[in-house]
Structures are given as structure tokens and as C-alpha cells.
């Protein structure tokens, strides 16, 4: 049991921080990266920027106030002026994994049919299966053995937003935990029979988890604070810390003398029989990372951005989506992986090559204080024992 002084101390900290927020932040734990960093990522200090929360490995993106991408000289470059972020934030090193998505699907579907969560359907493109040991209500999912790190497809922008709500609310099982927090699901819809949507455009200001916007995604994938020398930032053309087209081939397979770097090769490619999304796990290209240590920013699934594409400057029709995906042909993948490219689709679209990686807020000073105090208490108790 806690001693009285310790209990009083914790009670006081919780009162200062706000109980719900402090408890959520106390789940953040620092640690070493699960896969070794590339030299470029290590030089950018990523080793000391890794945290974990709800089974997600995050990296904190630094260099606030970085210069934006100034273009490649092409009039078709849609990224000109983008990529500058004036604050630090966290983003997943991996796209959402099957293991993480199975927990979410279980929370969504282990309930009576009368309590269904809208805008969600089970994916076909992932490594999850129905849990045969669970007998209701509803159903649960688990990752099939060996497929915990499968990428997850068939995720619409709206489903990704609801996942953010669920994390924001501490993975609670009540219906309200899915319906608001980062995004207000009651706003999701279309105007009449048109394609103009009514969805909340950006996440709530106090959201703890959210879909990264264009600037956040682009910076994490392409910006290197030391590209041109220590402290001299710059942009890489591709999200693989390179200005050279990635090798679209299975991991460990040579193509024109270079090893495969991305799973974005056509699934019908006769030269690579037996390779597909079900047996190329996230992180399989462990030595191919963004300048911040992100993996599979090329390949895996296309990744949703938060931003809306506005017709005539005011009418939201599409959400942006970035990067290449499994099943792309080499030409399509090459175009999609360049910083100057960005795709769009309806927020309700859930094709098999659509997924995302989650972004998260930096803990407030009060939350950090609570976490640090809890560690001190834990260490003190261990010394006494």
C-alpha cells in the first residue's frame, strides 16, 4: 500500500493536472527504438526521442519552425510552402499495426448490435482474425500468430478519426469514447446528394491523438535538420532519406545491384512470386527510414492526412492522402513517394491500400511532472525494498 505522504503527493499532483489527462499521460514511457536507427536518424537525436503509449512506438519530431519546402521547379509541385511546423509533436514510427487494430476492432464489435459504432467495418487487408474463444456479446478480434506487424488496409479517414477518439478517451469501451474527443463524429456526413462533406475539418485543440496534417506528415517523412551539415536543415526528395528513387522489391532481393527498399511493387509482379502484404511485415525494410526514424513511409499503405482539399477555396470534398502502397506499379510508386506529390479521396473511401499512422500531442508540463514523480516514487520504493 502507498504511504500517506506518497498518496497525498499523488492526490495533489492529480488535482493540479486534471485527473483524466494526467492518467492518460502517465502511460507514456520512454525507451529504446524497437528497430535500430539509421545513421541519419541517429545523428538527428532520435534515440532520445522514442516514447510508447497504448502499444504505439512514437518519435518526437523536433526542429520547430523549420523552413518549408520551396519546390522542385515544377508547376505541378503541390507541396510548395508546406512542411513547416512551429511546434514539436509525436508521430508513430510505424503505420497502425494489426495488433493495434485488433484491439480497436474488439472494442468496436464486442457489444450488442443495438450499440453499434458508425462508419466502421472490419478490414479485409490485415492480419486479424475473429477470436474463437470469445462468446459475446458481439465478437472480438486477435492478430493471427506471426502477423501482429501486418499493415492494415481498408481504413477510411473517418474510421481513422474514430480510432483517435478512442485513444484520446483512454481506450474506454462506452459508446461516447468513440464519438468525440479528437473529432466530433456527429458532424460526419455529406450535403444532400453532393460530394461536399460536413465533417469537422481539423481535430479539437485539446486532442491527445489525431491524424497528422500535411505539414506534420511531410516534415516527419522528408525533412532532415542536418541534411546539409550539422544544424543546416534540408529536404529529401523521397521519404527514404534519399534523393534517389527507392528500389521497389521485396526485402533482401537485389534489383539492378540494389537491395529492395519498399513493398510498393505490383502484387502481380511475376518476378517476385510469393510476396505480398500478408508476408511482408511493417519494419521489414529496417535499414530504410525517414530522417526521423519512421519506417515504411514508402510502401505499406497509403497514409491519410488530416487536411481537406477545398474546391473553390471553401467546399471540402476530399481528404489528402500520401505515400505509395503495396500493389503500386513502379511508376506510380515513384511519383507517389516524391515530396511534390499528394493524392486525394473521399473521407469515406476505404480501399485496401488505405491506412494511416497516428500523431500525438506532447505531454503538458503538468503531465510530465506527474510521470516523473511516479518514477521517483517507484524508484524510492524499490530502494526501500
Amino acid at each position: 500500500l502507498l504511504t500517506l505522504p506518497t498518496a497525498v503527493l499523488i492526490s495533489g499532483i492529480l488535482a493540479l493536472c486534471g485527473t483524466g489527462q494526467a492518467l492518460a499521460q502517465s502511460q507514456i514511457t520512454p525507451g529504446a527504438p524497437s528497430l535500430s536507427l539509421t545513421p541519419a536518424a541517429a545523428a538527428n537525436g532520435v534515440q532520445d526521442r522514442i516514447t510508447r503509449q497504448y502499444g504505439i512506438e512514437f518519435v518526437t519530431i523536433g526542429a520547430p519552425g523549420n523552413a518549408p519546402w520551396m519546390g522542385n521547379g515544377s508547376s505541378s509541385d503541390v507541396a510548395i510552402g508546406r512542411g513547416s511546423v512551429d511546434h514539436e509533436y509525436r508521430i508513430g514510427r510505424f503505420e497502425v499495426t494489426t495488433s493495434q487494430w485488433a484491439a480497436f476492432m474488439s472494442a468496436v464489435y464486442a457489444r450488442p448490435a443495438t450499440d453499434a459504432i458508425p462508419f466502421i467495418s472490419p478490414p479485409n487487408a490485415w492480419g486479424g482474425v475473429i477470436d474463437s474463444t470469445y462468446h459475446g456479446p458481439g465478437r472480438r478480434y486477435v492478430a493471427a500468430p506471426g502477423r501482429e506487424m501486418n499493415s492494415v488496409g481498408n481504413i477510411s479517414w473517418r474510421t481513422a478519426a474514430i480510432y483517435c477518439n478512442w485513444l484520446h478517451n483512454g481506450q474506454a469501451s462506452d459508446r461516447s469514447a468513440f464519438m468525440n474527443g479528437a473529432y466530433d463524429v456527429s458532424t460526419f456526413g455529406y450535403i444532400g446528394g453532393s460530394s461536399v462533406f460536413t465533417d469537422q475539418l481539423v481535430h479539437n485543440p485539446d486532442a491527445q491523438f489525431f491524424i497528422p496534417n500535411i505539414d506534420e506528415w511531410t516534415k516527419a517523412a522528408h525533412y532532415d535538420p542536418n541534411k546539409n551539415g550539422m544544424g543546416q536543415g534540408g529536404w529529401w526528395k523521397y521519404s527514404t532519406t534519399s534523393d534517389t528513387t527507392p528500389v521497389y522489391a521485396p526485402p533482401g532481393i537485389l534489383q539492378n545491384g540494389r537491395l529492395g527498399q519498399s513493398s510498393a511493387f505490383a502484387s502481380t509482379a511475376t518476378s517476385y512470386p510469393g510476396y505480398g502484404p500478408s508476408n511482408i511485415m511493417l519494419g521489414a525494410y529496417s535499414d530504410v527510414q525517414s530522417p526521423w526514424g519512421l519506417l515504411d513511409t514508402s510502401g505499406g499503405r497509403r497514409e491519410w492526412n488530416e487536411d481537406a482539399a477545398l474546391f473553390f477555396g471553401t467546399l471540402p470534398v476530399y481528404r489528402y492522402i500520401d505515400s505509395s502502397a503495396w500493389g503500386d506499379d513502379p511508376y506510380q510508386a515513384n511519383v507517389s513517394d516524391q515530396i511534390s506529390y499528394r493524392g486525394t479521396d473521399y473521407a469515406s473511401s476505404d480501399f485496401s491500400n488505405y491506412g494511416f499512422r497516428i500523431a500525438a500531442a506532447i505531454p503538458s508540463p503538468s503531465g510530465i511532472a506527474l510521470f516523473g514523480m511516479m518514477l521517483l516514487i517507484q524508484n524510492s520504493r524499490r530502494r526501500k525494498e
Side-chain angles (χ1 to χ4, degrees):
L1 295 176
L2 292 174
T3 63
L4 179 59
T6 300
V8 171
L9 180 59
I10 293 176
S11 177
I13 294 173
L14 289 176
L16 287 172
C17 300
T19 305
Q21 182 184 35
L23 287 176
Q25 290 170 342
S26 73
Q27 297 172 15
I28 300 173
T29 57
S34 59
L35 292 176
S36 298
L37 299 169
T38 58
N44 291 335
V46 172
Q47 182 76 30
D48 300 322
R49 292 177 168 269
I50 302 297
T51 56
R52 288 175 175 79
Q53 192 173 13
Y54 296 126
I56 302 169
E57 184 175 339
F58 290 99
V59 60
T60 297
I61 307 299
N66 63 292
W69 167 251
M70 296 309 295
N72 60 10
S74 169
S75 59
S76 62
D77 187 341
V78 299
I80 295 174
R82 304 306 302 258
S84 178
V85 182
D86 63 3
H87 57 274
E88 292 195 338
Y89 60 99
R90 297 185 296 151
I91 192 167
R93 287 192 74 203
F94 303 90
E95 295 173 359
V96 171
T97 69
T98 285
S99 180
Q100 293 157 1
W101 207 246
F104 175 57
M105 288 289 98
S106 293
V108 168
Y109 284 103
R111 64 182 62 246
T114 55
D115 193 33
I117 310 299
F119 303 108
I120 299 178
S121 58
N124 294 317
W126 69 323
V129 294
I130 293 176
D131 183 358
S132 60
T133 67
Y134 177 74
H135 303 294
R139 60 189 183 276
R140 292 188 185 277
Y141 291 86
V142 295
R147 298 188 63 182
E148 294 83 358
M149 289 297 291
N150 265 142
S151 60
V152 182
N154 301 118
I155 300 178
S156 71
W157 188 97
R158 289 172 172 171
T159 301
I162 295 171
Y163 179 73
C164 295
N165 288 346
W166 181 62
L167 292 185
H168 174 92
N169 290 305
Q171 296 183 324
S173 59
D174 57 285
R175 195 172 191 275
S176 62
F178 301 90
M179 303 303 289
N180 208 337
Y183 305 91
D184 184 354
V185 177
S186 70
T187 67
F188 292 3
Y190 291 97
I191 297 176
S194 75
S195 57
V196 177
F197 65 75
T198 58
D199 305 23
Q200 179 177 332
L201 291 181
V202 299
H203 62 267
N204 295 330
D206 63 344
Q208 297 300 301
F209 301 91
F210 46 88
I211 301 167
N213 64 29
I214 287 173
D215 298 315
E216 291 161 341
W217 195 96
T218 302
K219 179 176 180 176
H222 293 274
Y223 183 75
D224 188 338
N226 298 303
K227 182 188 179 186
N228 301 310
M230 189 59 63
Q232 301 181 56
W235 293 91
W236 294 102
K237 182 177 181 179
Y238 295 95
S239 59
T240 53
T241 315
S242 177
D243 291 322
T244 303
T245 304
V247 179
Y248 300 111
I253 300 296
L254 282 172
Q255 184 185 96
N256 299 324
R258 298 169 63 201
L259 288 173
Q261 296 179 305
S262 169
S263 64
F265 55 88
S267 57
T268 57
T270 56
S271 54
Y272 306 124
Y275 286 99
S278 63
N279 56 20
I280 298 181
M281 302 295 119
L282 293 171
Y285 303 87
S286 59
D287 59 345
V288 183
Q289 302 176 18
S290 84
W292 297 96
L294 275 62
L295 294 109
D296 303 292
T297 46
S298 170
R301 312 288 173 177
R302 297 192 187 281
E303 299 183 23
W304 286 109
N305 292 169
E306 181 179 76
D307 300 66
L310 304 177
F311 274 59
F312 307 110
T314 58
L315 301 177
V317 174
Y318 301 119
R319 295 283 185 175
Y320 284 103
I321 198 163
D322 216 323
S323 85
S324 60
W326 166 260
D328 287 350
D329 63 70
Y331 173 80
Q332 180 185 24
N334 175 47
V335 172
S336 300
D337 281 337
Q338 296 182 37
I339 189 174
S340 56
Y341 172 84
R342 192 161 291 107
T344 59
D345 208 340
Y346 298 111
S348 55
S349 295
D350 60 356
F351 294 111
S352 63
N353 60 349
Y354 286 4
F356 80 114
R357 72 182 68 221
I358 198 162
I362 300 292
S364 67
S366 58
I368 295 173
L370 173 65
F371 179 57
M373 190 62 68
M374 295 295 282
L375 286 179
L376 287 173
I377 293 168
Q378 184 182 42
N379 291 337
S380 175
R381 293 182 65 192
R382 285 176 177 170
R383 285 194 296 271
K384 290 178 181 178
E385 293 170 354

